[in-house]
């Protein structure tokens, strides 16, 4: 049975208050979930997180009516909010073994991915190199009364060693090659999902083993490049 037949359970009253109307309504979000199911997303936790999360809050008002299209959209500073299908795919891969405790989200951007993760993991650490984006994302998550997300202004290439180890790491920015530092910050059997490459990018899922890591290619994607340093 499709989760769409179940009544909606919002995580807290702030979600209920921000559920939107018309093009930003629960009905419109349900249609997006239908599309994700059609595209092969099956993880009920992920589908439920997309179903309740008001993606329109993560966009400028002028863009809000397009929030539930399955597409990446501009968020300023030459960055984009990721396509819902890509968010769902990456999150499902990270959650494949269930019970995520600590998760690192690289490239906060709008904060949408962090908000989805916050409904699945105990604690989310999200890092962004562009300070105004980080501040805006923090405000949206505060509005949603999500209290298990910590925000850092940092260059994600180096991970967040002071809060390691993580069960899962997800990056929405694409480096040329895998930053080896990130493996040091994963628990054994921990999972890392990220795009690799510049012009042509592939999404990879890695599992840390006792001797190194296994690698699985999850298909072609298009993300922004992982840049160095921070911008205030
Ligand atoms: N997860 C975001 C996607 C934003 S796009 C969302 O749901 O909206 C990717 C983000 O990665 C951009 O905001 C970009 O500024 C950021 N980024 C790029 N290189 C980075 C780096 N080295 N460290 C941290 N963030 C980085």
């Amino acid at each position: 049975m499709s989760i769409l037949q179940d009544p909606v359970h919002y995580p807290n009253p702030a979600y209920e208050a921000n559920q939107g109307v018309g093009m930003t309504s629960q009905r419109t979000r349900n249609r997006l979930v239908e599309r994700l199911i059609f595209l092969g997303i099956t993880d009920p936790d992920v589908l439920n997180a997309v179903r309740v999360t008001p993606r329109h809050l993560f966009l400028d008002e002028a863009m809000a009516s397009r929030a539930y299209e399955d597409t990446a959209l501009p968020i300023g500073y030459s960055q984009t909010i990721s396509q819902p299908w890509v968010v769902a795919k990456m999150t499902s891969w990270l959650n494949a073994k269930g019970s995520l405790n600590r998760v690192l989200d690289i490239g906060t951007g709008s904060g949408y991915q962090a908000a989805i993760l916050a409904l699945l993991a105990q604690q989310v650490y999200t890092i962004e190199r562009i300070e105004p984006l980080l501040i805006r994302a923090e405000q949206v998550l505060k509005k949603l009364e999500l209290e298990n997300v910590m925000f850092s202004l940092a260059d994600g290439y180096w991970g967040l060693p002071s809060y390691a180890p993580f069960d899962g790491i997800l990056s929405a920015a694409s480096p040329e090659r895998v930053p080896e530092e990130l493996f040091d910050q994963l628990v054994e059997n921990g999972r890392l999902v990220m795009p690799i490459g510049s012009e042509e990018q592939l999404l990879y899922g890695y599992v840390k083993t006792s001797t190194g890591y296994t690698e699985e290619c999850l298909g072609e994607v298009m993300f922004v490049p992982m840049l160095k340093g921070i911008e205030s």
Side-chain angles (χ1 to χ4, degrees), residues 79-82 107-110 113 128-130 155-156 172 226-227:
Q79 306 304 324
T80 53
I81 183 172
S82 305
T108 313
S110 67
Q113 173 74 70
E128 171 58 58
R129 60 180 294 279
I130 301 177
D155 179 347
M226 185 177 274
L227 301 177

Side-chain angles (χ1 to χ4, degrees), residues 18-33:
N18 283 293
Q19 60 177 290
V21 292
M23 291 300 281
T24 64
S25 65
Q26 189 55 56
R27 265 179 76 155
T28 317
R29 256 187 316 282
N30 285 349
R31 273 202 292 276
L32 172 61
V33 172

Side-chain angles (χ1 to χ4, degrees), residues 36-131:
L36 298 181
I37 294 170
F38 174 76
L39 293 173
I41 303 296
T42 55
D43 184 328
D45 297 336
V46 173
L47 290 170
N48 189 55
V50 173
R51 191 181 187 203
V52 298
T53 303
R55 189 169 183 255
H56 60 279
L57 288 196
F58 297 85
L59 291 161
D60 277 350
E61 244 169 81
M63 208 64 78
S65 64
R66 300 190 57 195
Y68 301 103
E69 292 175 15
D70 186 23
T71 166
L73 292 165
I75 54 170
Y77 304 89
S78 310
Q79 306 304 324
T80 53
I81 183 172
S82 305
Q83 180 190 354
W85 176 76
V86 173
V87 170
K89 173 108 181 148
M90 291 173 88
T91 312
S92 300
W93 197 87
L94 209 62
N95 194 43
K97 290 285 168 281
S99 67
L100 286 171
N101 183 16
R102 298 157 69 81
V103 174
L104 177 64
D105 170 48
I106 301 173
T108 313
S110 67
Y112 179 69
Q113 173 74 70
I116 294 287
L117 287 169
L119 298 182
L120 275 78
Q122 295 297 315
Q123 183 67 42
V124 178
Y125 300 85
T126 185
I127 44 185
E128 171 58 58
R129 60 180 294 279
I130 301 177
E131 192 170 27

Side-chain angles (χ1 to χ4, degrees), residues 151-172:
F151 295 80
S152 286
L153 180 67
D155 179 347
Y157 189 88
W158 307 105
L160 198 61
S162 44
Y163 292 93
F166 304 100
D167 308 293
I169 302 179
L170 180 156
S171 174

Side-chain angles (χ1 to χ4, degrees), residues 124-143:
V124 178
Y125 300 85
T126 185
I127 44 185
E128 171 58 58
R129 60 180 294 279
I130 301 177
E131 192 170 27
L133 285 177
L134 189 74
I135 292 170
R136 205 161 66 189
E138 197 167 0
Q139 284 163 352
V140 179
L141 267 68
K142 201 169 168 198
K143 196 167 175 183

